[in-house]
Amino acid sequence: MDSIINILILFIVIMNWNIKANPINTRWNMHDYQLLQQKPFQIIANDDKELSGKFLHITDIHLDSLYIPNSDPSKFCRRYAKKSKKNKSGKFGTIKSDCDSPYELTNSTFLFLREKFQDVDFVIYTGDSLRHDRDPKISLTEDYVKWGHKLIVKYIMETFDIDKTKFIPTLGNNDEWVHNQLEDGPNTLLSNLTQIWAPLKLNLTSDFIKGGYFRQDINSKLSVFSLNSMYFSNSNDQIKDCNHENSPGAIQLKWIRYQLENARKEKRKVFIAQHIPPLNSDGESFYHVCYVKYVQLLGRYSDIISGHFTGHTNLDSLTFVTESGNIADYRLLYLDKDEHPSIKSNQNIVLVLNNAPSIIPVNNPGIREYRYSTSFKTFGILTDYIQYYSDIKKANKIGKIEWEIEYIASKTYGIKELSPSGWAKVLDQMKDKGSKLWRVYLKYFTVSTN
Ligand SMILES: *[C@@H]1O[C@H](CO)[C@@H](O)[C@H](O)[C@H]1NC(C)=O
Ligand SMILES: *[C@@H]1O[C@H](CO)[C@@H](O)[C@H](O)[C@H]1NC(C)=O
Ligand SMILES: *[C@@H]1O[C@H](CO)[C@@H](O)[C@H](O)[C@H]1NC(C)=O
Ligand SMILES: *[C@@H]1O[C@H](CO)[C@@H](O)[C@H](O)[C@H]1NC(C)=O
C-alpha cells in the first residue's frame, strides 16, 4: 500500500514539474488524460500544433450530378423506366446498383462531417470523387472531370477550416480523364489537379506534378504520404511494371523508400494513404513486381508506418502484413468474405492495412474516425477507430438520413490498441470459420447491409 502511495506522489510531482517546466507547450486533452491514467509515467508530446488525437478516413464519394430519385436503377438512376414500378431509385442512393451518389447523400455526409468532426487533426480522403463512366449515353468529358473535382473542393472548403484541419486527398481510379488510365507525369491531369486542389493548401511539390504523390507533415513527428496507386495498378495500361527502371511505379517506390528512410532518421511516424489496396478479392491489384516490392517495403518499415489506409472496394476489410521465418520475407494475408482464410497459429504480424467503406452506397455508406496516441513515447500509434454508417434503405423509407455508430474497433474486437500484436490475437480468434469474431467481421465487411 505504501509503495503505491509513493508511486502516486512521485507521479504527481513529476507531472507538476512537467507542466511548470513547459507552461505553454504542454497540451492536455481527454485522450492524453485517459492514457495517463493507464500508464502514469508518459510525458505529453510538446509540439507546435495542438492535437486532439483524432482523424477521419473517408473514401469514394462518387457524386453524380445527374442522379434522379425514383428513376430506373438499370439506367444508372439517371432516366425513368417505361414501367413505373421500375422507377425505384432511392432519394439517398440505391444499394447494390450501378448508380452513384446523389446530391442528397453527399450533402448530408458533408453536413455530418461539419457538425460532428471539427476537432479532428486532419482528414484522409482516399479518392474517387467522380461518377463512374458506365453510362454509354452520357460519357465523361474532361470538362466534367474538372468540374467534378472543383465541386468536391467546394464541399471540403465549406466543411473544414483547412488552415486548422488538413484535408489530404489521393487520386482514385475514377478521377482521371479516362477510367483507370493515367500516363507518366507530368501530364495535364496532374497539373490541373495541382490548380484545383490549390485552395486546400497542400504540400503539392514537384513530386506531385511528376508522380501524383506527396508528403504532408502534420507536425514534426507525423507525416501522411498520399500515394498514387494509379502508378502501381495493373488496370492502368499506360504504364509498365516496376522492374522497368523508369516506370512511374519504380520511381514512386524509390520515393517511398527514401521518404521512409528519412522518417526513420528523424523519428517521425508515417500514415500511408492510397486509393487501391494492393490485394483484394480479385487477387493482386498492382503489377506483380510493384506488388512484391511494395509489400517488402511495408514489412521493412513497419516500425515507421503507423497506419495504412485504402478504399476502392467499398468494403470494410483487414489485410495483414506477415513475416515468414527468420528471413525478412513479407506477405499479405487478406481476410476475404467468401473464403475463410487458412490462418496459422502465432502468425507473425508486423503491420495491418485497413480498408474503409465508401460514401457511394454500393453497401451502406461509412465514415471512419480514428484515434491515435499523442503521448510522447507512443506517438502516432493507432489506438482505436469508430465506424459510422447510415442505413440507406431505412433512410429512403423514412425520407431522412441518420448517421450512427456501427461499431467501435476496440470493443468489437476486444483489443486495447490497434497494434500488430493486438490484431494477432484477433486473427487467432478468427481461425475457426464458426467463431464469433469471424461472424462479426463478415457482418461489418459489407457495412451491415442486408
Ligand atoms: C416513372 O415511370 C413512368 C412510366 O411509366 C414515367 O412516366 C414517370 O415519369 C416515371 N417517374 C416517376 C417519378 O414516377
Ligand atoms: C446540396 O448542396 C448544394 C450546395 O450547398 C446546394 O446547392 C444543393 O441545392 C443541395 N442539394 C440538395 C439535394 O440538398
Ligand atoms: C488542364 O487540362 C486541359 C485538358 O482538359 C489542358 O488543355 C490544360 O492545359 C490543362 N491545364 C493545365 C494547367 O495543365
Ligand atoms: C513537403 O514534401 C517534401 C518532400 O517532397 C518534404 O521535404 C517537406 O518536408 C514536406 N513539407 C511538408 C510541410 O509536409
Side-chain angles (χ1 to χ4, degrees), residues 130-131 133 139-146 176-177:
L130 308 180
R131 68 171 171 87
D133 196 13
S139 54
L140 220 57
T141 63
E142 293 190 359
D143 281 341
Y144 185 92
V145 170
K146 283 178 263 188
E176 290 74 33
W177 308 136

Side-chain angles (χ1 to χ4, degrees), residues 76 78 97-100 131-137 360:
F76 311 97
R78 290 195 191 121
S97 70
D98 274 345
C99 304
D100 288 304
R131 68 171 171 87
H132 287 91
D133 196 13
R134 289 169 172 151
D135 185 348
K137 290 209 170 134
I360 182 180

Side-chain angles (χ1 to χ4, degrees), residues 430-447:
M430 286 179 174
K431 258 191 326 201
D432 179 9
K433 207 174 173 171
S435 64
K436 183 171 160 264
L437 272 196
W438 179 249
R439 289 204 311 269
V440 163
Y441 178 74
L442 293 188
K443 172 174 153 67
Y444 297 138
F445 192 82
T446 49
V447 206

Side-chain angles (χ1 to χ4, degrees), residues 296 300 322-331 348 350:
Q296 298 316 306
R300 264 188 272 144
T322 64
E323 189 176 26
S324 55
N326 299 326
I327 43 156
D329 177 30
Y330 301 98
R331 306 266 167 91
N348 192 8
V350 297

Side-chain angles (χ1 to χ4, degrees), residues 311-327:
H312 182 62
T313 62
N314 315 306
L315 298 169
D316 180 342
S317 67
L318 292 165
T319 300
F320 300 90
V321 182
T322 64
E323 189 176 26
S324 55
N326 299 326
I327 43 156

Side-chain angles (χ1 to χ4, degrees), residues 144-347:
Y144 185 92
V145 170
K146 283 178 263 188
W147 176 82
H149 283 302
K150 281 180 197 156
L151 185 60
I152 295 299
V153 168
K154 191 163 170 277
Y155 274 105
I156 298 165
M157 300 300 288
E158 284 171 2
T159 305
F160 293 104
D161 172 0
I162 49 93
D163 287 320
K164 208 172 107 256
T165 311
K166 276 280 168 283
F167 192 100
I168 305 165
T170 68
L171 208 58
N173 66 317
N174 288 285
D175 289 331
E176 290 74 33
W177 308 136
V178 180
H179 175 232
N180 275 334
Q181 303 304 309
L182 184 66
E183 73 274 27
D184 269 51
N187 56 44
T188 53
L189 184 90
L190 292 175
S191 55
N192 269 281
L193 275 179
T194 308
Q195 284 185 346
I196 294 169
W197 287 352
L200 303 178
K201 298 183 185 167
L202 297 162
N203 189 28
L204 304 180
T205 58
S206 54
D207 291 342
F208 183 78
I209 293 164
K210 182 144 187 2
Y213 45 80
F214 62 99
R215 165 182 147 196
Q216 188 72 45
D217 289 353
I218 303 303
N219 67 6
S220 62
K221 293 196 199 66
L222 183 64
S223 304
V224 177
F225 294 179
S226 167
L227 300 186
N228 177 9
S229 50
M230 293 305 296
Y231 285 164
F232 293 143
S233 165
N234 56 20
S235 301
N236 183 1
D237 304 323
Q238 313 304 312
I239 58 158
K240 289 189 174 141
D241 199 346
C242 293
N243 49 339
H244 296 267
E245 208 187 329
N246 292 322
S247 66
I251 294 169
Q252 178 169 227
L253 282 173
K254 219 184 273 171
W255 183 88
I256 300 170
R257 190 182 325 112
Y258 174 81
Q259 290 297 341
L260 285 170
E261 200 54 50
N262 219 270
R264 183 177 273 158
K265 260 188 227 133
E266 294 172 2
K267 298 192 178 2
R268 260 182 296 117
K269 294 289 184 194
V270 170
F271 289 148
I272 290 182
Q274 62 180 330
H275 180 65
I276 304 175
L279 186 63
N280 63 36
S281 308
D282 304 325
E284 294 173 10
S285 40
F286 292 180
Y287 281 108
H288 184 65
V289 177
C290 300
Y291 174 86
V292 171
K293 291 193 168 181
Y294 184 70
V295 173
Q296 298 316 306
L297 269 186
L298 293 181
R300 264 188 272 144
Y301 291 93
S302 56
D303 57 323
I304 306 298
I305 304 166
S306 284
H308 186 284
F309 313 100
T310 54
H312 182 62
T313 62
N314 315 306
L315 298 169
D316 180 342
S317 67
L318 292 165
T319 300
F320 300 90
V321 182
T322 64
E323 189 176 26
S324 55
N326 299 326
I327 43 156
D329 177 30
Y330 301 98
R331 306 266 167 91
L332 294 189
L333 173 65
Y334 169 65
L335 298 193
D336 200 356
K337 173 175 172 279
D338 299 319
E339 207 179 297
H340 184 265
S342 66
I343 300 165
K344 290 186 229 107
S345 287
N346 305 317
Q347 204 126 26

Side-chain angles (χ1 to χ4, degrees), residues 70 80-84 87:
N70 303 312
Y80 294 116
K82 291 220 172 70
K83 288 187 183 139
S84 69
N87 284 339

